Every structure is written in structure tokens, then in C-alpha cells.
Amino acid sequence: MLLTQTQLDAFDREGYLFFPGLFSLEEIKVLLDEVPALYAQRRPENVREKTGDVVRTNFAAHLYSAPFARLARHPRMVEPVRQMFGEDLYMHQFKINGKQAFDGDVWQWHQDYGTWKNDDQMPEPRAMNVAIFLDGVNEFNGPLMFIPGSHKLGVLDAQHDTSTTSYPLWTINNEVIGKLVERGGIVAPKGPAGSMILFHSCLVHASSSNLSPWNRVSVYLSLCAVSNHIRRFKRPDYIAHRDFTPIECLPDDCLLKSYDVPLPWKDRFFEPLRETT
Ligand code: SIN
Ligand code: MN
């Protein structure tokens, strides 16, 4: 799937592109059916909400779950990003955000590239954020919000917020957000399961809590140009990956057919079963 000049211009202006219903419900079911088993695992890649046992985000499932390993190589997602950067890509980060009914907590206003630059020493904002909806997203279940055009401002001042939620984040203060919104407004792309968003790594974004009875499970992943790989390995490898091997795409039907994929972390962090005698 390649982007038209009109789409490239819109991305440049707004900082994001929205593709409602890009994946079919049949394709998405293969992924969503896998999520409860992933969230049930006791492993550091599952970060839970502050209030209890509900999973907020699961990291790196593409390294231990076959359906997500196939999604990570999907040409409908990888090809447009490779087109934009004009080079091969590797997976910098891969997460499945729960935003579960009633329990899903906020993601404060932030830019992703600020963290990648400061913590991971990623040289340039040549990494693309991709969101894929595994549940329908509506105005009630905590849709992702963007300030259009904010990616043009580069990296903004941010403070390390370690208390609002269970996951530390470099966040932008309310006064700055007020000014940015005056200039660009706020949009929140909503649509059926299977929709995809591509958004610039400097685009300011956030989402509010999910007080609705509907889960809002979404995959968020970041595809980085290989030559722009991170230089510092300060954060855990399941949050900022160190394998810069270029992604090789599978065929377009890879969510519906069982193509072979490597699962290098399948047994990672699991205690081997011991005989009880
Ligand atoms: C993120 O910014 O990484 C996640 C936002 C969300 O899940 O709403
Ligand atoms: Mn983010």
C-alpha cells in the first residue's frame, strides 16, 4: 500500500493520517483473541494500571506471540512508512494498550520523540508511530487526541511525570497545551476495529480515561529508519528495542494464514516447571 501525494501533503501539514477500517474484522479477531492470554502472563512486559491488576500496556508481544509477530511484518502498515522515510525500518517499540472498560487510565499530553531523544539517544525524529484499533474507538472509550500541526514545533519542554499514572512519561504542561490548542485545535480519530493511524513522533497527543463499558484495546508501534537507530540502551530492551534488523514484510494475507515467524522471547521470564517430590 503506497501513499498518494495528497496523503503525503496532509501528513506534512497535520502530522497524522487516518485509515478507517484498513484491516477486516476477521483479521482483527485473530489479534484480539490473543490478548487475554497475553495480559494474563506475569512478566515485566505487562505494566498494570495504578489502581489494580488490570493491564495498561503490554510490551513486545511481536517477540512471543505469533499473530502479533505477523502484524509486525504487515505490508499494509510497513510499506507506507518505508515510502515516507525512503529506507528500511526496524521495530523500535511495540505495545498493546488495554484502556479497559471502566479502568483504563489517562495518557497525559506528550510527544514520543522527546523520550526517544533524551532516554534512547535516537538521532532524529525519523520514527513513525502507528496505532491499530483492535476495538472500535468512540468518543466515550478514551480516543487518542492530537493537536494538528504540533509536530512542526520540534521537541517541546517536558517534565518527567512519575506519579499521575503507573507508567512514567515526559509530559507537557497545561499552559503550553493551552497555547498549542488555540493554534491547532484538537482532533480525535474514531472508527471501527481495524482502523489505523500513522502519526509523527513529534505530534503532541494524549487520551482521557475510559469510563465507558467498552474496552479500547489498540496496538501502538514505532517503526524507526534503520540508519536512525538508538545509540543508548538505558531503558529495558522490551521498551526500547536493540535489534536493528530491517523488517521483511510477509504477504498481505499474513493475519489469516499461518506464515512461520520467529518468536525469540517465547520462554523469556518464565520459570521452568519443577518436579515436586
Ligand atoms: C501512547 O501515547 O503511547 C498511548 C496513548 C493511548 O493509548 O491512548
Ligand atoms: Mn505516545
Side-chain angles (χ1 to χ4, degrees):
M1 185 181 96
L2 289 181
L3 302 172
T4 63
Q5 193 55 49
T6 309
Q7 287 174 312
L8 293 168
D9 292 345
F11 181 86
D12 180 56
R13 203 173 50 244
E14 312 285 341
Y16 72 97
L17 286 174
F18 184 42
F19 304 86
L22 182 72
F23 295 92
S24 70
L25 295 183
E26 196 188 357
E27 289 175 312
I28 291 301
K29 186 177 181 324
V30 176
L31 300 166
L32 196 57
D33 283 353
E34 185 82 354
V35 171
L38 287 171
Y39 281 1
Q41 294 178 18
R42 294 280 152 193
R43 51 192 302 162
E45 291 97 333
N46 275 331
V47 175
R48 286 159 208 282
E49 297 285 9
K50 218 171 149 183
T51 45
D53 212 31
V54 173
V55 172
R56 172 178 180 77
T57 186
N58 162 278
F59 284 100
H62 66 304
L63 299 177
Y64 49 93
S65 154
F68 286 99
R70 293 186 191 111
L71 177 68
R73 294 162 174 81
H74 205 294
R76 258 175 265 162
M77 170 191 78
V78 175
E79 276 171 2
V81 182
R82 195 154 52 197
Q83 177 192 2
M84 281 203 224
F85 292 139
E87 67 168 292
D88 278 334
L89 309 166
Y90 78 93
M91 188 66 68
H92 171 60
Q93 189 173 80
F94 190 106
K95 54 192 206 245
I96 310 169
N97 283 359
K99 188 82 79 171
Q100 297 283 290
F102 302 111
D103 286 305
D105 204 354
V106 305
W107 288 81
Q108 312 91 305
W109 288 107
H110 68 283
Q111 293 171 302
D112 286 1
Y113 180 62
T115 304
W116 302 341
K117 181 181 161 79
N118 293 324
D119 286 351
D120 307 329
Q121 286 182 2
M122 183 187 285
E124 301 289 334
R126 283 170 51 77
M128 180 71 72
N129 276 324
V130 183
I132 295 169
F133 301 176
L134 301 194
D135 288 307
V137 174
N138 56 46
E139 60 265 57
F140 308 110
N141 64 355
L144 187 61
M145 302 185 285
F146 297 132
I147 305 178
S150 54
H151 63 301
K152 298 271 189 194
L153 302 171
V155 176
L156 300 163
D157 258 2
Q159 298 78 42
H160 206 207
D161 181 341
T162 54
S163 60
T164 304
T165 68
S166 59
Y167 185 70
L169 206 59
W170 287 88
T171 62
I172 299 170
N173 74 43
N174 295 350
E175 201 189 325
V176 174
I177 295 300
K179 289 191 182 129
L180 294 177
V181 171
E182 239 170 68
R183 183 178 162 272
I186 300 179
V187 295
K190 294 169 282 280
S195 301
M196 177 174 91
I197 310 173
L198 301 182
F199 63 103
H200 194 285
S201 57
C202 289
L203 193 68
V204 177
H205 59 284
S207 63
S208 52
S209 63
N210 183 3
L211 286 177
S212 83
W214 304 298
N215 291 339
R216 195 225 65 180
V217 177
S218 298
V219 179
Y220 285 86
L221 53 91
S222 312
L223 297 169
C224 185
V226 168
S227 67
N228 192 47
H229 68 80
I230 62 169
R231 307 306 203 240
R232 183 160 67 181
F233 303 147
K234 178 179 149 190
R235 300 196 294 165
D237 61 355
Y238 56 85
I239 295 181
H241 298 306
R242 288 122 204 228
D243 179 356
F244 311 135
T245 312
I247 296 170
E248 282 184 32
C249 288
L250 289 169
D252 192 75
D253 60 0
C254 62
L255 290 174
L256 300 177
K257 286 196 187 153
S258 301
Y259 295 97
D260 265 352
V261 275
L263 298 174
W265 290 8
K266 195 150 180 37
D267 300 315
R268 204 187 197 200
F269 297 121
F270 279 111
E271 288 280 314
L273 288 174
R274 283 195 204 96
E275 302 271 55
T276 46
T277 48

